[in-house]
């Protein structure tokens, strides 16, 4: 059974996370020809103070804009 971990910036609603999980599960089950119930997904919300892009914390990028 596949195990997927999705990390993304915090702030998305539970409804959006449910939609993401549903669509990813469908795609994985189709690609692997397995039942959707076998697909496990963990969604981890990461704060912008813990996310960098190009070596710069996103919180620093937000301050400079």
């Amino acid at each position: 059974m596949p195990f997927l971990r999705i990390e993304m910036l915090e702030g998305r609603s539970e409804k959006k996370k449910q939609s993401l999980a549903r669509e990813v599960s469908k795609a994985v089950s189709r690609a692997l020809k397995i039942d959707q119930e076998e697909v496990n997904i963990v969604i981890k919300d990461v704060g912008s103070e813990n996310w960098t892009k190009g070596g710069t914390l996103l919180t620093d990028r937000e301050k400079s804009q």
Side-chain angles (χ1 to χ4, degrees), residues 16-63:
K16 286 185 179 183
K17 291 177 191 179
Q18 288 170 336
S19 177
L20 174 65
R22 187 172 36 256
E23 294 302 318
V24 169
S25 293
K26 284 180 191 176
V28 170
S29 68
R30 269 194 315 269
L32 299 179
K33 295 180 177 37
I34 60 172
D35 188 72
Q36 203 169 320
E37 288 296 314
E38 294 184 46
V39 180
N40 294 276
I41 301 173
V42 171
I43 298 173
K44 175 146 174 69
D45 289 325
V46 179
S48 58
E49 73 279 4
N50 295 316
W51 194 290
T52 67
K53 186 172 183 176
T56 304
L57 287 171
L58 292 185
T59 50
D60 292 340
R61 286 176 176 255
E62 292 166 358
K63 291 175 191 172

Side-chain angles (χ1 to χ4, degrees), residues 4 10 21 63:
L4 293 86
E10 63 188 357
K63 291 175 191 172

